[in-house]
Amino acid sequence: MSEATWDPPEVPPADDVSTPYWDATREHRLTVQSCGACGHVQHPPRAVCTACSSMEHLSQVDAAGTGAVDTFTTVHRAPRPELDAPYTVARVRLAEGPVVLTRLEPAVPDQRAWTIGDPVAVAWADLPDGRALPYFTPSLGSTSPDTTKEH
């Protein structure tokens, strides 16, 4: 069941590289790609490790689903008529290190505006084909990763 209060956009089909990631979303599991050769963790899935260039040692591993807002913007004027505004787009640094481009919900929190460093947790918007699109909501925990570390 979808928790989203918005309609997710059309999402491109999975390909050879992204299929394991999308398969995990069907179970509402957030995964990141890990390199068995060098230990690097990356997102989104790629055909090559961005740290050591390995192509044979990549696998999807479960992520905690928590992180911190790295930066964000609230869109008040939608670029297309079918999109409802306002909505907030953010970079979230996952507890595992990689940064994901995502949506924050609620778009404008009731009590205050979003701030950089806010702890967030993954939530899911179900897609018609059975996959799910991750987005992030405020988290009460303080599992914020070190936002100064680059990956």
Side-chain angles (χ1 to χ4, degrees):
M1 178 176 194
S2 178
E3 301 171 12
T5 59
W6 49 278
D7 290 326
E10 188 172 320
V11 176
D15 59 24
D16 291 343
V17 173
S18 66
T19 293
Y21 169 79
W22 285 114
D23 286 348
T25 71
R26 294 175 187 280
E27 301 170 4
H28 290 186
R29 288 188 303 113
L30 183 65
T31 62
V32 292
Q33 196 175 44
S34 178
C35 179
C38 73
H40 180 69
V41 180
Q42 60 191 25
H43 184 83
R46 296 174 178 92
V48 63
C49 174
T50 58
C52 74
S53 300
S54 173
M55 296 176 72
E56 296 85 29
H57 300 95
L58 297 170
S59 63
Q60 290 298 123
V61 297
D62 286 344
T66 58
V69 175
D70 191 48
T71 191
F72 68 94
T73 188
T74 300
V75 178
H76 292 277
R77 186 173 178 192
R80 298 189 317 264
E82 69 272 14
L83 296 176
D84 291 331
Y87 60 92
T88 300
V89 178
R91 281 181 16 150
V92 166
R93 186 167 303 274
L94 297 176
E96 294 77 13
V99 172
V100 297
L101 185 61
T102 188
R103 183 176 177 127
L104 297 179
E105 285 290 323
V108 181
D110 294 336
Q111 302 297 325
R112 60 175 174 71
W114 286 103
T115 59
I116 292 173
D118 279 348
V120 291
V122 72
W124 297 94
D126 293 327
L127 299 171
D129 66 2
R131 296 180 296 165
L133 191 63
Y135 66 94
F136 286 79
T137 61
S139 172
L140 300 178
S142 59
T143 57
S144 302
D146 178 0
T147 58
T148 62
K149 188 174 181 182
E150 282 299 318
H151 293 270

